[in-house]
Amino acid sequence: MKKLFFVVAAFWSFSSMAQLPETVIYLFDIQKKAKGLEIGNPKIVSNKSGYNNQPYFTMDGDYMFYVSSMDSVNIELYKIDMGKKKLKGKRITHTKEAEYSPKFTPDMENVSCVRVEKDRKTQHFYTYSLKGKKPVNILPKLTSIGYYEWLNQNEFLSFELPEPFYLVKHHISGARCDTLATNIGRTFYNLRSKGKVVYVDKSDSDKWVIRMIAPENLKTFNRKGHTENPVLTETLPKEEDYCFTQDGSILMGHKGMLYIKKNPFKNANATWDELIDMKTFGIEKFYRIAISVDNTKLAVVAYRGKKP
């Protein structure tokens, strides 16, 4: 694999709360240079011990949302103002339930999340105001959502239990749903700039791939036929966490190393190239990653022990 130029500056089950891993979010600066990406200046987002995870950069670039544990059972939503020099998380929710996977709603007026109810089994899709008020259960009958991605204000995709895990399209006002794929990974995207929806297909236990949903599969509900979703690329061995840069390149971690695959949408022969060894920053193990819309910040979630 090719070595790219860099500069060194310095699925769990939601109901199994006791098994949440100890995780830390690091925030890096990124600069695009002629010879590659420069990644450096690491900062820890939350100094609290416990579960700090699921970073998400808002579409307007103003905030980074994430979740953090208050105790062994309660997870709350937080946000960081990216315009301020000091990385100080501000708590959004103050509930007895646990909230996960914060994102802006498409209109950017509320924050959506997966809420685990007090029974520690039921998982609902909720929205809150940006102050953590006015909770709304989007689809009360949907009780097994794990992750999600908005398509528009009235439609979203969800990762749903039980195994082999389903990718389901929901139409809110019409109360309709359609299963698009099974045996999926937890990370999937609606790439609005490319008009593509991508997900990890884990049907082959020896070779996971990232697929693009065929346009006709997104247009109809409860269809009789099904078009095979084309493969975009293979993942690194047993990896399902990744993000996209502005030019369509993919970033993915493996064994403490961050890799890049340059725009597989245009280059079918692109390879996974080493970008940077995170152990340089003292990060031995990491999995979730997220990149800001302007590609100037990278969030990396480090963990201890067994991979979550």
Side-chain angles (χ1 to χ4, degrees):
M1 295 183 179
K2 298 179 182 178
K3 187 77 172 182
L4 295 186
F5 175 80
F6 63 87
V7 171
V8 176
F11 173 66
W12 70 92
S13 170
F14 285 138
S15 59
S16 302
M17 295 297 161
Q19 299 176 9
L20 286 175
E22 177 124 353
T23 51
V24 177
I25 303 174
Y26 288 83
L27 190 63
F28 292 84
D29 292 334
I30 304 177
Q31 286 186 310
K32 187 175 181 180
K33 301 292 184 178
K35 296 182 179 180
L37 298 177
E38 294 183 357
I39 299 175
N41 192 27
K43 298 177 182 179
I44 295 178
V45 168
S46 176
N47 290 318
K48 292 172 55 181
S49 61
Y51 187 75
N52 304 280
N53 215 318
Q54 299 184 330
Y56 162 81
F57 293 97
T58 60
M59 297 89 82
D60 57 9
D62 289 347
Y63 300 103
M64 186 185 82
F65 295 153
Y66 67 99
V67 301
S68 186
S69 56
M70 305 305 299
D71 51 48
S72 61
V73 297
N74 195 8
I75 311 298
E76 300 285 11
L77 307 183
Y78 281 77
K79 66 179 179 181
I80 287 178
D81 189 332
M82 300 302 294
K84 296 183 178 180
K85 292 183 178 180
K86 189 174 181 180
L87 296 178
K88 185 176 181 180
K90 183 176 181 180
R91 188 173 170 184
I92 299 175
T93 52
H94 295 75
T95 68
K96 294 182 179 179
E97 296 80 13
E99 285 89 13
Y100 294 88
S101 300
K103 295 183 180 183
F104 255 152
T105 53
D107 59 10
M108 296 192 296
E109 294 183 356
N110 296 285
V111 57
S112 54
C113 66
V114 172
R115 187 169 101 168
V116 181
E117 305 295 356
K118 295 177 183 178
D119 63 7
R120 301 300 170 190
K121 295 180 181 180
T122 305
Q123 297 169 194
H124 280 136
F125 187 35
Y126 263 79
T127 61
Y128 291 88
S129 71
L130 296 182
K131 294 184 178 180
K133 307 295 183 181
K134 301 178 181 179
V136 176
N137 189 343
I138 300 299
L139 289 176
K141 292 183 179 180
L142 176 58
T143 60
S144 57
I145 183 173
Y147 308 96
Y148 65 93
E149 178 78 342
W150 287 100
L151 293 175
N152 52 60
Q153 194 67 26
N154 197 38
E155 295 179 313
F156 66 94
L157 301 176
S158 62
F159 168 111
E160 294 182 22
L161 311 173
E163 290 193 68
F165 304 131
Y166 299 85
L167 182 63
V168 182
K169 178 187 175 184
H170 291 271
H171 188 277
I172 298 172
S173 62
R176 295 177 295 175
C177 65
D178 192 17
T179 298
L180 302 181
T182 59
N183 291 289
I184 71 164
R186 63 180 159 229
T187 308
F188 48 99
Y189 291 100
N190 176 21
L191 302 174
R192 294 172 176 82
S193 63
K194 293 189 173 298
K196 304 288 187 182
V197 173
V198 299
Y199 69 98
V200 173
D201 180 358
K202 300 166 72 173
S203 299
D204 185 338
S205 60
D206 295 323
K207 187 176 72 174
W208 296 354
V209 297
I210 298 176
R211 290 185 182 271
M212 299 176 287
I213 298 181
E216 53 267 37
N217 290 341
L218 279 174
K219 290 180 180 178
T220 59
F221 285 87
N222 303 315
R223 59 194 176 281
K224 295 181 180 180
H226 180 75
T227 301
E228 183 177 8
N229 296 317
V231 173
L232 175 63
T233 180
E234 293 183 15
T235 72
L236 291 166
K238 301 295 182 180
E239 300 293 350
E240 58 183 318
D241 300 294
Y242 59 101
C243 64
F244 287 89
T245 63
Q246 287 177 331
D247 68 356
S249 297
I250 308 176
L251 300 180
M252 179 176 279
H254 183 60
K255 294 184 176 180
M257 184 77 69
L258 183 64
Y259 291 83
I260 186 169
K261 176 165 281 194
K262 292 184 177 180
N263 197 355
F265 295 99
K266 292 184 178 180
N267 182 9
N269 297 318
T271 60
W272 285 110
D273 299 331
E274 295 177 4
L275 181 56
I276 191 167
D277 188 345
M278 286 297 183
K279 291 188 284 293
T280 305
F281 304 111
I283 300 175
E284 296 290 331
K285 301 176 182 179
F286 71 97
Y287 67 134
R288 295 182 188 276
I289 55 177
I291 193 168
S292 61
V293 174
D294 62 3
N295 284 195
T296 62
K297 299 291 183 181
L298 179 73
V300 171
V301 180
Y303 65 92
R304 296 178 181 176
K306 186 178 180 181
K307 185 178 179 180

